[in-house]
Amino acid sequence: MSHKLFFDNWFTGINLQVQLEKLKIHSVGTVRLSRPVGCTFMEDKQIKVNGHGTFVEKQATYDNVTVRAVRWFDNCSVILLSTFAAANPVTMVERWDKKKNEVVAVTSV
């Protein structure tokens, strides 16, 4: 039997997620930019220019465990780290756009 654990950026880290996955506990959580060591993403300025719904996904293997990091831009940039979830498939959601002062459709991870 496997479990799925969700947590916030205070607890998320590659080492913890690798150890959990070895115990058959899948995990996903938001992560601080400094925690996925060696994983580089485009700068906040660039991702902001591309707008709501922009995302970049990276994948690596640590100690025979596949870990994915996804940086997604909503109202601000968010990074997710997971041993079981990925950016695809994406869906369309409606978000309020302050600049346009209207609801717009954006892609969501």
Side-chain angles (χ1 to χ4, degrees):
M1 176 165 87
S2 67
H3 300 280
K4 292 180 181 167
L5 183 62
F6 300 83
F7 36 87
D8 65 16
N9 65 34
W10 285 97
F11 302 102
T12 309
I14 292 173
N15 292 335
L16 173 61
Q17 288 192 314
V18 167
Q19 294 306 314
L20 288 170
E21 186 65 23
K22 288 180 177 183
L23 297 170
K24 297 188 185 337
I25 301 171
H26 305 305
S27 59
V28 64
T30 56
V31 67
R32 295 168 184 232
L33 183 58
S34 62
R35 295 245 175 107
V37 179
C39 185
T40 57
F41 289 102
M42 67 175 78
E43 296 292 324
D44 270 346
K45 289 180 184 178
Q46 181 61 42
I47 204 166
K48 217 175 195 179
V49 167
N50 293 340
H52 284 278
T54 302
F55 69 91
V56 177
E57 181 176 17
K58 305 282 182 157
Q59 178 177 312
T61 302
Y62 296 92
D63 204 12
N64 295 320
V65 174
T66 300
V67 179
R68 289 181 186 87
V70 179
R71 188 168 194 175
W72 179 63
F73 182 75
D74 186 23
N75 291 323
C76 62
S77 180
V78 176
I79 301 175
L80 297 175
L81 193 63
S82 177
T83 57
F84 75 95
N88 289 307
V90 296
T91 59
M92 295 302 289
V93 296
E94 292 183 340
R95 304 295 287 172
W96 180 258
D97 189 315
K98 284 191 241 181
K99 290 181 183 177
K100 295 181 180 179
N101 201 27
E102 64 183 21
V103 175
V104 295
V106 297
T107 55
S108 176
V109 178

